[in-house]
């Protein structure tokens, strides 16, 4: 079956990766819209409440706001200011990298893709996970010694796995993702099924780690022909969607603390991601199938069936998955109802922008 793809037109990307490419872009677009709505609605702002007039005067006279926050023991205010400032900035930077990585992939520039992928999945996502696990500890480290927020300072693979397990527990997503597999994909240079090794090969002309040591008469990635590019595409699109779906869960959890997403909109976006995940698995090459990915897809399929039934619609078929992936439509849901729902999203966003303008004035 051919799918109505939006993002993979042009370039050199083989058709077999259309669904995975679109899944990655759909997650990117949802997160980009979340960021845009938050900025337009003024949600990434923090209000400090003064105890009395003397408190306000001392704040206005302070040379450094963070010194004042520490001296007055307003550590919760410090955490709030730093998280609402850092979160959108980190997310924006992540999305720039992911967008350019996907566009480079479409143009068969796989070395650029893997260079760009490394930062968001290793460093940026690590920072967001740190905020999820302990926002006060994140703020304290950022204020005193930011180098302690580097992922490579967090310990080995076991430490990364423990941190990610804590994140999954806070998100309530232990049934959907594997902490061990997420850590392996992001940080295990010695594991063939992992991004760290291939990203390092893409970044450096020569590598000496035993697992990715440059072979004689070779320069990393420079001599990649079409067969090598196909292998690089196959790995990228069999694994990156897994990490991006996890990233979406982390970002939504953090947004819930700052500006909760309307449940109707959240469910609509989750339907699209889950439906695309089911279609993605159907197109995956057998050699790249992995148990954690099957677990994720099975969870999404079961969630979609239960979600549709509880909303009064039949269980989705394959053709329903295709329609749902790009419109959010329930099985047998009328086009007008879908259009009205999307119109409500736009109206709600416009009202948020208008409300934010009034507050700034």
């Amino acid at each position: 079956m051919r799918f109505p793809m939006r993002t993979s037109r042009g370039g050199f990307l083989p058709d077999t990766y259309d669904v995975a490419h679109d899944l990655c872009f759909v997650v990117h677009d949802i997160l980009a819209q979340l960021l845009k709505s938050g900025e337009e609605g003024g949600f990434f702002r923090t209000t400090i409440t003064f105890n009395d007039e003397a408190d306000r005067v001392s704040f206005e006279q302070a040379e450094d706001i963070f010194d004042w926050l520490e001296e007055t023991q307003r550590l919760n205010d410090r955490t709030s200011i730093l998280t609402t400032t850092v979160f959108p900035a980190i997310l924006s930077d992540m999305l720039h990298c992911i967008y350019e990585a996907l566009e480079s992939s479409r143009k068969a520039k796989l070395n650029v893709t893997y260079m760009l992928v490394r930062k968001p999945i290793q460093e940026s996502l690590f920072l967001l996970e740190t905020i999820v696990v302990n926002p006060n500890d994140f703020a304290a480290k950022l204020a005193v010694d930011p180098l302690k927020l580097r992922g490579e300072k967090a310990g080995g693979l076991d430490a990364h796995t423990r941190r990610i397990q804590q994140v999954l527990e806070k998100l309530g997503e232990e049934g959907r993702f594997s902490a061990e597999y997420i850590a392996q994909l992001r940080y295990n240079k010695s594991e063939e099924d992992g991004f760290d090794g291939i990203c390092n090969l893409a970044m450096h002309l020569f590598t000496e780690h035993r697992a990715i040591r440059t072979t004689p008469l070779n320069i990393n990635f420079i001599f990649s022909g079409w067969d090598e590019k196909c292998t690089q595409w196959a790995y990228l699109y069999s694994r990156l969607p897994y990490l991006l779906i996890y990233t979406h869960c982390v970002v939504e959890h953090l947004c819930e603390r700052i500006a909760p997403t309307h449940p109707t909109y959240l469910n609509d976006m989750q339907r699209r991601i889950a439906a695309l995940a089911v279609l993605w698995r159907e197109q995956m090459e057998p050699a790249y199938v992995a148990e954690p990915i099957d677990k994720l897809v099975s969870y999404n399929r079961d969630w979609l069936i239960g979600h549709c039934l509880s909303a009064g619609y039949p269980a989705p078929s394959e053709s329903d998955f295709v329609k749902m992936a790009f419109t959010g439509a329930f099985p047998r849901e009328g086009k007008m109802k879908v259009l009205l729902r999307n119109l409500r999203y736009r109206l709600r966003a416009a009202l948020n922008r208008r409300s934010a303008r009034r507050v700034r004035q």
Side-chain angles (χ1 to χ4, degrees):
M1 177 182 290
R2 288 288 297 154
F3 301 101
M5 298 299 141
R6 305 173 297 107
T7 56
S8 56
R9 295 172 183 168
F12 302 95
L13 186 66
D15 291 347
T16 188
Y17 305 119
D18 277 350
V19 173
H21 189 75
D22 264 36
L23 173 52
C24 292
F25 253 120
V26 165
V27 175
H28 167 277
D29 291 350
I30 290 171
L31 295 181
Q33 183 58 50
L34 183 153
L35 179 63
K36 179 182 177 183
S37 298
E39 291 174 341
E40 291 178 342
F43 299 130
F44 302 129
R45 296 171 179 268
T46 302
T47 301
I48 296 177
T49 303
F50 300 117
N51 297 324
D52 49 38
E53 182 63 16
D55 205 26
R56 183 185 66 79
V57 171
S58 70
F59 171 81
E60 292 177 348
Q61 293 177 345
E63 294 183 2
D64 187 300
I65 182 176
F66 292 105
D67 287 342
W68 182 84
L69 290 169
E70 188 167 357
E71 290 169 2
T72 56
Q73 289 299 294
R74 289 174 172 265
L75 300 184
N76 287 335
D77 283 332
R78 181 179 70 177
T79 297
S80 180
I81 291 170
L82 289 175
T83 53
T84 54
T85 301
V86 168
F87 169 66
I90 286 292
L91 180 56
S92 176
D93 186 71
M94 288 181 73
L95 294 176
H96 285 313
C97 290
I98 292 166
Y99 178 88
E100 296 299 338
L102 293 172
E103 280 295 284
S104 295
S105 172
R106 184 175 61 83
K107 299 171 184 176
K109 301 176 181 179
L110 276 304
N111 56 332
V112 177
T113 295
Y114 278 103
M115 284 190 282
L116 288 169
V117 158
R118 184 179 182 276
K119 181 182 179 184
I121 67 173
Q122 282 197 353
E123 300 181 30
S124 307
L125 187 51
F126 172 85
L127 204 61
L128 296 182
E129 290 167 336
T130 302
I131 299 174
V132 170
V133 172
N134 192 332
N136 288 325
D137 182 60
F138 156 77
K141 287 176 178 175
L142 186 63
V144 178
D145 189 359
L147 292 181
K148 290 184 178 179
L149 293 172
R150 297 170 64 191
E152 55 265 40
K153 298 295 183 181
L157 195 63
D158 289 343
H160 285 302
T161 301
R162 288 193 297 271
R163 183 192 70 260
I164 295 167
Q165 184 62 40
Q166 286 182 284
V167 173
L168 292 177
E169 290 170 3
K170 286 185 176 290
L171 269 56
E173 294 286 5
E174 308 100 304
R176 188 148 58 137
F177 298 99
S178 162
E180 184 177 0
Y181 192 58
I182 292 173
Q184 173 186 310
L185 288 177
R186 292 160 60 192
Y187 298 109
N188 193 344
K189 195 182 276 82
S190 299
E191 175 62 52
E192 185 175 345
D193 187 4
F195 277 97
D196 196 24
I198 192 169
C199 287
N200 271 280
L201 289 171
M203 289 180 64
H204 307 291
L205 294 178
F206 303 100
T207 45
E208 61 181 343
H209 187 280
R210 59 181 178 79
I212 55 171
R213 189 179 182 86
T214 306
T215 57
L217 298 176
N218 190 24
I219 301 175
N220 298 335
F221 262 79
I222 297 300
F223 301 114
S224 293
W226 184 252
D227 289 343
E228 288 78 13
K229 287 182 183 294
C230 286
T231 300
Q232 293 157 14
W233 269 318
Y235 184 75
L236 178 74
Y237 288 115
S238 69
R239 299 300 184 261
L240 185 59
Y242 185 88
L243 293 180
L244 290 183
I245 294 172
Y246 167 69
T247 300
H248 174 257
C249 294
V250 171
V251 171
E252 276 293 351
H253 177 81
L254 290 173
C255 276
E256 185 70 20
R257 299 178 181 178
I258 300 170
T261 305
H262 193 280
T264 302
Y265 179 81
L266 187 61
N267 282 329
D268 192 327
M269 297 304 107
Q270 186 57 48
R271 284 197 299 275
R272 300 177 194 222
I273 292 173
L276 270 168
V278 172
L279 299 175
W280 161 57
R281 173 60 182 82
E282 290 176 359
Q283 282 201 337
M284 191 178 298
E285 297 176 36
Y288 290 91
V289 172
E291 188 277 332
I293 291 174
D294 276 346
K295 177 182 176 182
L296 169 67
V297 174
S298 177
Y299 184 100
N300 282 334
R301 186 189 292 273
D302 291 345
W303 179 85
L304 275 176
I305 293 172
H307 176 65
C308 291
L309 293 175
S310 66
Y313 295 94
S317 64
E318 183 176 349
S319 60
D320 291 322
F321 287 137
V322 176
K323 184 179 178 182
M324 191 182 296
F326 298 102
T327 68
F330 285 101
R332 301 181 190 173
E333 185 178 19
K335 289 183 179 179
M336 186 56 66
K337 193 171 182 180
V338 176
L339 288 172
L340 288 174
R341 184 166 60 241
N342 288 325
L343 178 60
R344 284 196 295 271
Y345 298 154
R346 290 195 290 271
L347 288 174
R348 189 176 294 119
L351 289 173
N352 286 337
R353 289 195 296 271
R354 187 177 302 173
S355 175
R357 284 196 295 269
R358 283 200 297 267
V359 170
R360 286 195 289 270
Q361 290 170 357

